[in-house]
């Protein structure tokens, strides 16, 4: 019999629904990485495990091409034809836009945009960075807050060349239903199925106040270096998501 999701709108590339929060899980609880875990709240990072090396390379290439184009544009022998000037100016504008896009991604895009679980409040706080294809626009941070009881786990299996493995999504449903109103990634691609199931199991055990191990599988950070602090929770959300009182 063909498997079918219990949700009204399964995620793309859906492979299976994960057990409900209070049900028996497929694997023992185990975090892959963790930023903080205590009796009130837990924060897990969501690192993207590919692409940053290519972005750094693209940034350096764009910078080199932009410098060469600017030198050509400023040369004394440069033609003064209006149409030619317009075309060269447009060319530099396009290169500059792409360069700014790359710079914003490699230096300022949050690494491991986190999810916080507040066990006392039974709330989940999701840090989302709204990147745009337009480099001149503001790329805002959006904090989404959900009730833990409304979340259903889903597992996706991917077979891409650079993105192979299992991804965990959280579908947010209308209270008491399986009608999906929102969705967020809990973990980007994980190669080991057991690790993916254990992560969901850990979140469920933690929020249901069951015993969980506090040491993650991995303590290192992926090689996606940036000199800036890229994750900044708004003060009101920082206070609410890390406390158990109003």
């Amino acid at each position: 019999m063909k498997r079918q999701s219990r949700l009204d709108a399964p995620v793309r590339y859906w492979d299976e629904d994960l057990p409900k929060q209070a049900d028996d899980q497929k694997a023992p609880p185990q975090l892959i990485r963790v930023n903080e875990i205590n009796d009130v709240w837990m924060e897990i990072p969501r690192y993207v495990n590919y692409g940053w090396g290519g972005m750094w390379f693209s940034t350096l290439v764009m910078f080199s091409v932009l410098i060469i184009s600017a030198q050509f544009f400023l040369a004394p022998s440069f033609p003064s034809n209006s149409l030619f000037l317009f075309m060269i100016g447009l060319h530099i504008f396009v290169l500059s836009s792409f360069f700014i896009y790359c710079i914003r991604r490699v230096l300022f895009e949050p690494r491991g945009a986190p999810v916080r679980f507040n066990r006392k409040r039974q709330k989940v706080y999701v840090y989302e960075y709204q990147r745009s294809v337009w480099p001149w626009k503001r790329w805002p941070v959006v904090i989404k807050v959900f009730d833990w009881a409304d979340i259903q786990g889903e597992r996706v299996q991917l077979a891409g060349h650079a993105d192979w493995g299992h991804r965990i999504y959280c579908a947010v449903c209308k209270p008491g239903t399986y009608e999906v109103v929102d969705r967020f990634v809990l973990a980007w691609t994980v190669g080991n199925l057991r690790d993916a199931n254990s992560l969901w199991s850990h979140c469920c055990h933690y929020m249901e106040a069951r015993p969980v191990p506090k040491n993650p599988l991995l303590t290192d950070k992926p090689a996606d270096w940036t000199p800036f602090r890229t994750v900044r929770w708004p003060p009101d959300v920082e206070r609410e998501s890390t406390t158990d009182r109003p």
Side-chain angles (χ1 to χ4, degrees), residues 19 53 83 150 160 202 224 236:
L83 179 60
D150 298 336
H202 192 286
D224 54 2
D236 58 331

Side-chain angles (χ1 to χ4, degrees), residues 11-204:
V11 67
R12 189 181 183 189
Y13 303 124
W14 175 91
D15 197 58
E16 71 169 336
D17 290 332
L18 297 175
K20 296 181 181 180
Q21 293 97 321
D23 292 350
D24 292 336
Q25 299 297 318
K26 291 178 174 290
Q30 179 63 68
L31 291 171
I32 298 173
R33 288 185 171 92
V34 66
N35 292 337
E36 175 67 36
I37 180 169
N38 54 55
D39 291 336
V40 176
W41 62 283
M42 171 178 72
E43 179 181 291
I44 61 174
R46 298 177 294 169
Y47 289 108
V48 177
N49 54 2
Y50 69 95
W52 293 109
M55 286 304 304
W56 275 107
F57 177 76
S58 297
T59 303
L60 294 175
V61 169
M62 283 297 102
F63 180 73
S64 300
V65 173
L66 191 59
I67 291 297
I68 293 172
S69 298
Q71 290 177 339
F72 178 70
F73 184 76
L74 297 173
S77 59
F78 187 80
S80 58
N81 179 276
S82 298
L83 179 60
F84 193 76
L85 288 174
F86 172 78
M87 295 301 296
I88 292 297
L90 181 62
H91 171 76
I92 291 180
F93 174 77
V94 172
L95 288 178
S96 301
S97 297
F98 191 58
F99 175 68
I100 294 296
Y101 174 85
C102 293
I103 282 289
R104 292 184 69 174
R105 288 207 60 185
V106 297
L107 293 183
F108 301 105
E109 183 169 337
R111 305 296 198 267
V115 176
R116 280 184 180 173
F117 296 82
N118 189 301
R119 182 159 65 184
K120 301 298 184 181
R121 296 181 187 271
Q122 288 293 293
K123 297 284 187 180
V124 180
Y125 302 80
V126 185
Y127 192 101
E128 299 284 7
Y129 186 65
Q130 305 293 310
R131 185 177 69 238
S132 170
V133 296
W134 303 108
W136 306 102
K137 284 182 62 177
R138 178 174 173 267
W139 295 357
V141 169
V142 175
I143 306 299
K144 297 182 177 181
V145 184
F146 303 112
D147 290 324
W148 169 244
D150 298 336
I151 291 175
Q152 304 285 332
E154 301 173 283
R155 182 177 61 80
V156 162
Q157 185 167 358
L158 299 173
H161 175 70
D163 195 15
W164 177 90
H166 307 276
R167 184 178 297 173
I168 303 300
Y169 280 87
C170 288
V172 183
C173 301
K174 286 186 177 180
T177 75
Y178 293 128
E179 183 180 345
V180 179
V181 295
D182 207 339
R183 184 176 270 116
F184 63 91
V185 173
L186 180 62
W188 295 101
T189 309
V190 178
N192 188 306
L193 176 59
R194 180 183 176 86
D195 291 347
N197 287 330
S198 291
L199 174 61
W200 172 250
S201 174
H202 192 286
C203 294
C204 292

